[in-house]
Amino acid sequence: MTSVTATKRSGPDDPHGGHSGRDGHGGQGGRPRRSWRPGPSGPPPRGKAFGDRAAWFLVLPALIPILILSVGPLLYGIALAFTDAQSGRTRSTQWIGTLNFQDLLHDTLFWDSFRIGLVWAVGVTVPQFLLALGLALLLNQNLRLRWLARALAIVPWAMPEVVVGIMWRLVYNPDASILNETIRDLGLGDGRDWLTGLATALPAVILVGIWAGMPQTTVALLAGLQNTPRELHEAAALDGAGAWRRFRTVTWPAIKPIALAISALNLIWNFNSFALVYVLTSGGPGGRTRLPMLFAYEEAFRYGQFGYAAAMGCVMVAVISVLLAFYLVGRLRGGEDR
């Protein structure tokens, strides 16, 4: 009787029997483990599906203008680059493949403007960042009338580029300008025509670009400085760190992501500049300030070569995409290092 009872208790059909053990694996201790099996995947909850649709409805008012005013013209411009489109209602447009790009490779004027655009973008972005960083560090101090200094620092940012260009044309005026009058009063010469001189036109325009774009960089860096905990500076000062060491070990690591982001954006914006240089010099003298955007504008609206100008635009978009790719890769690597 005892053996029969033991056999029944340890039979293969008994989940607690001897074949499987009390722990489910032939062991002697513990309760048997339950095997987890995923259930059938059902439809998402009605609330979540409704929330997704509501989110799309909220995004559409901002997404539709972007598609119509940005993505649509971009795709149309890329398609136009492969045609011989010209101004004139009676002209027919033909598909010519990559002929515009082949002509662009041998266009020395375009590559000269491309080189000038790179010099302009770097020449504006680097001094702009350094000066904005110094101004942001100054405005972050506990100064008297600091609020007034901050308000005055963003005045150039609030002015349209056309107004800035007209104002600086008056500053650079060869006959009656503040700059030339100051030079004459100091006995440094008779002054000169800064915007029409072959050697001075590009540096003069770069100076205006630095002045006009510095407030935006200053505001971004000042926001990063204000988010840096003061306790870190106080701890570094107690350890005997000087001003330069505190900046290198505390301030710069805190604002480095903002500095990289604003510098990359400034480089792209400056490379695509148009209005400021157009008002100041219109690309002259002798093409010394003709940026790529100005060159494409002249080809399209002065000479009516829409297809050729669109090809120039495609090249500039490709260059900007490469710059963005380098920036994003750097940010991703920086995130992985952290």
Side-chain angles (χ1 to χ4, degrees), residues 49-203:
F50 177 77
D52 293 341
R53 288 195 296 269
W56 277 110
F57 279 116
L58 293 175
V59 170
L60 280 178
L63 186 61
I64 291 176
I66 293 176
L67 293 175
I68 295 176
L69 302 177
S70 298
V71 178
L74 176 62
L75 297 178
Y76 178 72
I78 294 174
L80 203 66
F82 296 92
T83 66
D84 61 349
Q86 298 179 9
S87 62
R89 298 180 61 182
T90 60
R91 293 182 179 272
S92 59
T93 301
Q94 303 293 331
W95 182 269
I96 60 174
T98 60
L99 186 60
N100 285 327
F101 294 96
Q102 295 175 17
D103 294 339
L104 202 59
L105 290 176
H106 304 287
D107 192 343
T108 57
L109 293 177
F110 172 74
W111 294 113
D112 285 342
S113 71
F114 200 87
R115 176 184 57 81
I116 294 171
L118 291 177
V119 172
W120 153 269
V122 176
V124 172
T125 302
V126 175
Q128 190 180 88
F129 173 78
L130 296 177
L131 293 173
L133 179 60
L135 183 59
L137 290 172
L138 180 63
L139 295 178
N140 196 43
Q141 304 299 319
N142 291 323
L143 302 175
R144 184 176 298 178
L145 298 178
R146 183 175 60 176
W147 61 271
L148 180 60
R150 289 180 177 179
L152 293 176
I154 64 173
V155 167
W157 191 17
M159 300 172 64
E161 288 187 325
V162 175
V163 176
V164 172
I166 294 173
M167 183 185 70
W168 276 90
R169 281 181 66 92
L170 297 176
V171 173
Y172 287 135
N173 189 283
D175 298 325
S177 66
I178 299 175
L179 180 59
N180 283 336
E181 289 296 331
T182 303
I183 292 175
R184 295 188 187 99
D185 293 340
L186 294 176
L188 300 178
D190 295 332
R192 60 194 308 172
D193 194 350
W194 300 93
L195 295 178
T196 59
L198 296 177
T200 60
L202 185 58

Side-chain angles (χ1 to χ4, degrees), residues 120-121 123-133 135-136 152-162 164-165 167-168 204-222 259 261-267 269-271 273 276-277 280:
W120 153 269
V124 172
T125 302
V126 175
Q128 190 180 88
F129 173 78
L130 296 177
L131 293 173
L133 179 60
L135 183 59
L152 293 176
I154 64 173
V155 167
W157 191 17
M159 300 172 64
E161 288 187 325
V162 175
V164 172
M167 183 185 70
W168 276 90
V205 174
I206 287 176
L207 178 63
V208 179
I210 294 172
W211 182 85
M214 193 171 65
Q216 180 181 359
T217 308
T218 302
V219 170
L221 295 176
L222 183 60
I262 195 65
S263 297
L265 291 176
N266 284 338
L267 188 65
W269 288 331
N270 291 327
F271 185 77
S273 293
L276 186 62
V277 181
L280 285 170

